[in-house]
Amino acid sequence: INGKSSISKNTWDVYFDNVVVKDDSVEAVKIPTLTDKTTVDFEVALNLPGDFYEFTVDVVNGGSIDAMIESITKEPELTEAQAKYLSYTINYENGEQITTKQLVKKEESVRLKVKVELRKDIDPSDLPDVGDVLYLSFTVNYQQADENGIEVKDNGEWNFEANGALDTIGTIVTIGTEKFYSFGTDGNNVK
């Protein structure tokens, strides 16, 4: 009995990249910075109702193995009193909620949106007597994907393929690692 087997080398490389702050956010005390491409740190002061700070960050899978979310930890959960004047959300750029088993396929990325906001409809009695300093943390752990992985739909990007057609002006087009903002099409060509 003759047989042949080959084992290919695989790589694991899931990381954060491309932090973009929304233009009308308040000025940050500390702008979002990447630490070892696995942590995003930022610091803001929200002083007036409606003040907010928002940014997006890409979760990139630069490896050769599909990844999926194993666990999500948000600490601390806002107390009922804090939730009356503050909103802290992390979801996908398209608004979809982050849940376990969602995929980041090999050599692809998904975009997360982080927003912290001092609510506009605050009742003065809901505000704390002294300024609150909150240390908020959100952790997403990834593992090798299995057959239970869930694809994230319509995450604000359109991946160009040789035979694909682009029909929406204003779409972000990703070709390899380059991103383009489309303003017109000519058949299958992006202008």
Side-chain angles (χ1 to χ4, degrees), residues 58-75:
D58 292 339
V59 178
V60 180
N61 184 349
S64 61
I65 302 169
D66 290 346
M68 71 180 187
I69 297 176
E70 176 184 25
S71 63
I72 302 166
T73 308
K74 188 175 180 182
E75 296 178 333

Side-chain angles (χ1 to χ4, degrees), residues 19-96:
V19 177
V20 178
V21 177
K22 187 170 182 183
D23 288 339
D24 48 351
S25 294
V26 297
E27 189 172 330
V29 175
K30 177 183 176 186
I31 62 170
T33 54
L34 291 170
T35 306
D36 298 329
K37 290 195 166 191
T38 59
T39 304
V40 181
D41 290 316
F42 70 102
E43 185 178 336
V44 294
L46 304 174
N47 299 312
L48 301 172
D51 278 359
F52 72 91
Y53 194 77
E54 180 180 317
F55 65 90
T56 58
V57 62
D58 292 339
V59 178
V60 180
N61 184 349
S64 61
I65 302 169
D66 290 346
M68 71 180 187
I69 297 176
E70 176 184 25
S71 63
I72 302 166
T73 308
K74 188 175 180 182
E75 296 178 333
E77 287 291 336
L78 295 178
T79 65
E80 188 177 324
Q82 291 167 334
K84 287 181 179 180
Y85 63 86
L86 187 71
S87 169
Y88 175 54
T89 57
I90 300 172
N91 49 30
Y92 292 103
E93 185 179 41
N94 66 0
E96 186 176 337

Side-chain angles (χ1 to χ4, degrees), residues 1-186:
I1 299 174
N2 294 319
K4 182 178 179 182
S5 168
S6 62
I7 300 172
S8 60
K9 180 180 177 184
N10 284 304
T11 57
W12 181 261
D13 190 22
V14 178
Y15 59 92
F16 289 130
D17 196 17
N18 192 33
V19 177
V20 178
V21 177
K22 187 170 182 183
D23 288 339
D24 48 351
S25 294
V26 297
E27 189 172 330
V29 175
K30 177 183 176 186
I31 62 170
T33 54
L34 291 170
T35 306
D36 298 329
K37 290 195 166 191
T38 59
T39 304
V40 181
D41 290 316
F42 70 102
E43 185 178 336
V44 294
L46 304 174
N47 299 312
L48 301 172
D51 278 359
F52 72 91
Y53 194 77
E54 180 180 317
F55 65 90
T56 58
V57 62
D58 292 339
V59 178
V60 180
N61 184 349
S64 61
I65 302 169
D66 290 346
M68 71 180 187
I69 297 176
E70 176 184 25
S71 63
I72 302 166
T73 308
K74 188 175 180 182
E75 296 178 333
E77 287 291 336
L78 295 178
T79 65
E80 188 177 324
Q82 291 167 334
K84 287 181 179 180
Y85 63 86
L86 187 71
S87 169
Y88 175 54
T89 57
I90 300 172
N91 49 30
Y92 292 103
E93 185 179 41
N94 66 0
E96 186 176 337
Q97 187 175 1
I98 299 170
T99 62
T100 57
K101 307 230 181 271
Q102 289 173 322
L103 292 170
V104 182
K105 293 186 176 182
K106 63 183 177 183
E107 299 178 2
E108 292 187 8
S109 65
V110 294
R111 183 164 295 143
L112 302 181
K113 179 173 71 174
V114 178
K115 184 174 184 178
V116 60
E117 179 178 21
L118 193 58
R119 294 187 183 276
K120 293 177 188 171
D121 57 346
I122 299 174
D123 184 309
S125 65
D126 292 334
L127 290 171
D129 294 332
V130 188
D132 253 358
V133 177
L134 300 175
Y135 298 94
L136 305 170
S137 171
F138 188 84
T139 305
V140 181
N141 291 311
Y142 286 88
Q143 67 180 19
Q144 182 175 339
D146 61 23
E147 67 278 355
N148 297 313
I150 302 166
E151 194 167 339
V152 178
K153 301 288 184 190
D154 186 30
N155 193 35
E157 292 190 21
W158 186 82
N159 289 317
F160 183 80
E161 297 174 2
N163 295 325
L166 181 65
D167 60 3
T168 304
I169 293 174
T171 301
I172 295 174
V173 178
T174 303
I175 303 175
T177 58
E178 299 294 322
K179 296 182 190 239
F180 302 90
Y181 185 83
S182 71
F183 58 89
T185 60
D186 176 19

